[in-house]
Amino acid sequence: MATVHSYGAAEVVTGSCHLIQLQCGTTILVDCGMFQGLVEERNHKPFGFDPSEVDYLLITHGHLDHVGRIPKLVKEGFKGMIVTHRSTMDLAEIVLLDSAHLMEESYKTAFRKAQRRGKEREIPKPLYEREDVYAIFALPVRYTEYDEPIKLGSDILVNFKNAGHILDSAIIEIHIEEEGAKKSIVFSGDLGNDYDLVMSSPDIPEEAETLFIESTYGDRNHRGAQESSQELQRVILETFARGGNVLIPSFAIERTQEILCLLKQMYDRGDLPVCQVFLDSPMAIRATEVYKQYQEELSAQCQKYLERDGTIFDFPYLHYTLTVQDSRKINEVDSRCIIIAGAGMCNGGRILQHFKHRLWDERNALVFVGYQVEGTLGREIIDGAKRISIYHEEIIVKASVHTINGFSAHADQSGLIAWMEGFKKLGKVFLIHGERKKQEIFQSVIMKRLGKKAHIVKFAERIGV
Ligand SMILES: [Zn+2]
């Protein structure tokens, strides 16, 4: 019997990492992501398995919570083969170099402070550095395409299907033959929406004896895409009317491109007043370049823009501010600007400068367009914090705060249920990648709608499949 161990994204939404041990002796790892927010310290703990014994690393997509611990994996002995899309490796490089940079910077700051107390030896080294990121790219990689099954050894076939979540994100089907019996294990990866502007709808595999499904939004339904777009437009108009500006903390990959497409759509319709839109995130600018490089993979809407304008994301009000000088100049703009900046959960990045500059001013608006993990500044503000601390300075939150979840790159409860209903044959269901309370709600909905008892996976739990 094969076994699956969940070494991340068990009862939390980050740190995705699932180890599959097959009877034939082959060991496969699906994703190796970073823990974020409250569970961040887990990154420094041992994996729970020996990285040198992993034969294959399959990567569903390039988000940090799915690739963030790969440099640690390599540092600790992984020498196997990576199987993923070429664009996923490109995005992973951007994400991991950024992550290594942030860790190096915070290590330096902590080290300097500790030095003054004579306690620098107590400061833990960064999880990894840039050289560790480069080491990944020296490993053998087998690039895949959707629905082009790849044989790994004689009894294993893996197939990547479109998950519709970010560029080339995948649902991974693993077909194995053990003791003459065929089995399929499916990992949903992160699943997208049917109405995403940039990505096409997720595929649905035909069957799975065992399904590991994400459950980020298993407890709720998003507001519709149109409703969300109208809400964003309303916030923009109201904010501009009172002489303010709109701040949008955004994830560099996918959410940013989705918001750009949405603003372009408003501009096209004549619904976006004359303004300046700043994409103030070097990482998001680089990610947008990767999207452009693989533009043929994007939605039908993107293809229309490409045909009409020769570009998917650009429109006259949009400015890319790559340098620090250009970023600082945005501070001089008094009103009618929209600033899209990272980090998506406000735990670093240029958005903090904009918070410092504008959050205390009631004319401005702050719009959250993505999931805010527990323990992040974004979550603190959403939960109602009226005063926050940025670089040890207290800032009062007077800007209006809005959460528009319809832009989420994750399917909502109805989307997840509809996706499961699409399987011709579905066996056991295991819930991963979700907060416990939300998973419990999703579990009861699955029972009601599909008559299935879904199991909530615990950390390091061993599951026979
Ligand atoms: Zn993701």
Side-chain angles (χ1 to χ4, degrees):
M1 186 193 254
T3 56
V4 178
H5 281 85
S6 184
Y7 288 115
E11 300 181 298
V12 290
V13 293
T14 59
S16 233
C17 185
H18 288 86
L19 187 82
I20 307 159
Q21 284 170 316
L22 304 178
Q23 225 168 31
C24 62
T26 304
T27 301
I28 298 172
L29 194 64
V30 177
D31 289 336
C32 191
M34 180 89 92
F35 288 106
Q36 293 166 283
L38 282 185
V39 285
E40 220 172 68
E41 83 290 346
R42 283 199 205 168
N43 293 316
H44 291 275
K45 298 211 167 118
F47 279 109
F49 57 89
D50 181 355
S52 70
E53 285 174 7
V54 177
D55 301 293
Y56 301 100
L57 168 64
L58 315 183
I59 308 174
T60 58
H61 65 289
H63 272 153
L64 188 65
D65 59 330
H66 292 257
V67 301
R69 279 187 294 162
I70 300 176
K72 175 177 153 88
L73 188 80
V74 177
K75 224 167 112 173
E76 295 183 11
F78 173 67
K79 289 188 182 65
M81 178 184 275
I82 296 174
V83 183
T84 194
H85 276 88
R86 190 179 285 273
S87 57
T88 301
M89 289 301 276
D90 291 349
L91 291 175
E93 187 177 357
I94 296 172
V95 165
L96 293 173
L97 285 175
D98 177 73
S99 154
H101 172 71
L102 291 177
M103 286 190 293
E104 282 167 30
E105 288 303 305
S106 63
Y107 170 73
K108 274 189 216 157
T109 312
F111 187 87
R112 270 198 302 270
K113 276 189 190 164
Q115 230 174 0
R116 294 197 281 269
R117 297 192 312 265
K119 296 203 168 161
E120 66 271 23
R121 286 205 183 144
E122 289 173 15
I123 302 300
K125 289 256 187 246
L127 196 60
Y128 49 84
E129 293 169 56
R130 261 170 286 195
E131 295 77 68
D132 302 311
V133 174
Y134 296 129
I136 299 172
F137 298 88
L139 289 172
V141 185
R142 176 79 189 263
Y143 293 118
T144 182
E145 297 286 338
Y146 291 136
D147 292 313
E148 283 185 10
I150 291 178
K151 263 193 138 192
L152 307 178
S154 55
D155 302 330
I156 310 157
L157 198 70
V158 297
N159 187 39
F160 284 50
K161 290 185 102 57
N162 174 28
H165 169 63
I166 69 166
L167 175 65
D168 282 334
S169 60
I171 298 155
I172 299 182
E173 300 174 307
I174 304 172
H175 302 278
I176 49 174
E177 210 172 320
E178 277 186 341
E179 295 160 341
K182 288 187 178 174
K183 301 175 184 175
S184 58
I185 310 167
V186 171
F187 285 85
S188 71
D190 287 358
L191 286 172
N193 290 303
D194 279 336
Y195 51 77
D196 198 287
L197 278 178
V198 182
M199 306 310 305
S200 45
S201 303
D203 291 338
I204 306 177
E206 293 232 326
E207 56 176 71
E209 263 83 41
T210 313
L211 169 67
F212 287 83
I213 183 170
E214 69 124 321
S215 45
T216 316
Y217 286 109
D219 65 325
R220 71 182 75 172
N221 285 321
H222 302 320
R223 264 166 285 183
Q226 206 184 347
E227 207 183 316
S228 300
S229 151
Q230 281 166 352
E231 196 178 345
L232 178 64
Q233 193 187 337
R234 182 181 56 77
V235 173
I236 293 171
L237 292 177
E238 284 174 6
T239 309
F240 286 177
R242 58 176 187 258
N245 306 283
V246 178
L247 304 182
I248 308 181
S250 182
F251 299 103
I253 301 172
E254 180 58 22
R255 198 66 34 83
T256 292
Q257 292 76 28
E258 179 80 9
I259 296 295
L260 291 182
C261 258
L262 195 74
L263 293 173
K264 178 163 171 160
Q265 216 175 36
M266 285 183 198
Y267 168 83
D268 268 355
R269 289 196 306 256
D271 287 341
L272 186 66
V274 176
C275 65
Q276 298 190 75
V277 178
F278 296 102
L279 179 54
D280 188 31
S281 159
M283 190 173 159
I285 294 171
R286 273 182 224 124
T288 306
E289 285 305 315
V290 176
Y291 267 66
K292 287 178 181 172
Q293 206 181 322
Y294 298 93
Q295 53 200 19
E296 68 283 359
E297 302 292 328
L298 305 177
S299 68
Q301 177 64 46
C302 289
Q303 303 310 320
K304 275 186 205 159
Y305 281 146
L306 201 56
E307 206 172 303
R308 192 193 69 185
D309 306 338
T311 166
I312 296 174
F313 304 107
D314 300 297
F315 60 101
Y317 301 164
L318 176 63
H319 310 277
Y320 296 93
T321 48
L322 197 57
T323 65
V324 175
Q325 290 89 324
D326 285 347
S327 174
R328 286 211 186 108
K329 269 192 210 149
I330 301 173
N331 293 345
E332 292 162 20
V333 181
D334 183 55
S335 68
R336 292 175 89 89
C337 81
I338 299 171
I339 304 167
I340 305 165
M345 292 191 270
C346 317
N347 45 344
R350 290 185 182 174
I351 195 72
L352 296 184
Q353 288 298 342
H354 297 297
F355 276 4
K356 215 169 153 179
H357 199 75
R358 303 189 190 266
L359 223 50
W360 50 268
D361 185 342
E362 63 210 4
R363 292 178 305 157
N364 295 326
L366 168 59
V367 183
F368 286 102
V369 291
Y371 196 86
Q372 304 297 309
V373 167
E374 283 177 323
T376 58
L377 178 61
R379 181 69 165 256
E380 206 182 306
I381 298 173
I382 281 184
D383 287 346
K386 288 286 165 242
R387 286 171 189 278
I388 56 165
S389 166
I390 294 175
Y391 305 126
H392 308 294
E393 190 181 333
E394 191 182 78
I395 309 285
I396 187 162
V397 182
K398 279 194 174 170
S400 59
V401 177
H402 313 261
T403 307
I404 310 182
N405 275 334
F407 303 128
S408 173
H410 287 270
D412 60 6
Q413 187 185 79
S414 305
L416 292 169
I417 293 285
W419 186 77
M420 279 196 276
E421 281 174 337
F423 279 71
K424 285 194 183 126
K425 200 178 133 205
L426 182 59
K428 290 183 197 154
V429 176
F430 293 91
L431 305 186
I432 53 170
H433 204 288
E435 290 172 11
R436 175 83 200 189
K437 279 187 191 138
K438 298 178 182 194
Q439 289 180 316
E440 283 168 4
I441 295 169
F442 190 39
Q443 192 180 36
S444 64
V445 173
I446 293 174
M447 179 49 96
K448 214 154 86 190
R449 298 280 303 275
L450 305 174
K452 274 191 183 299
K453 192 176 180 318
H455 176 80
I456 298 173
V457 178
K458 291 196 174 60
F459 184 75
E461 188 178 346
R462 179 181 180 276
I463 295 160
V465 293

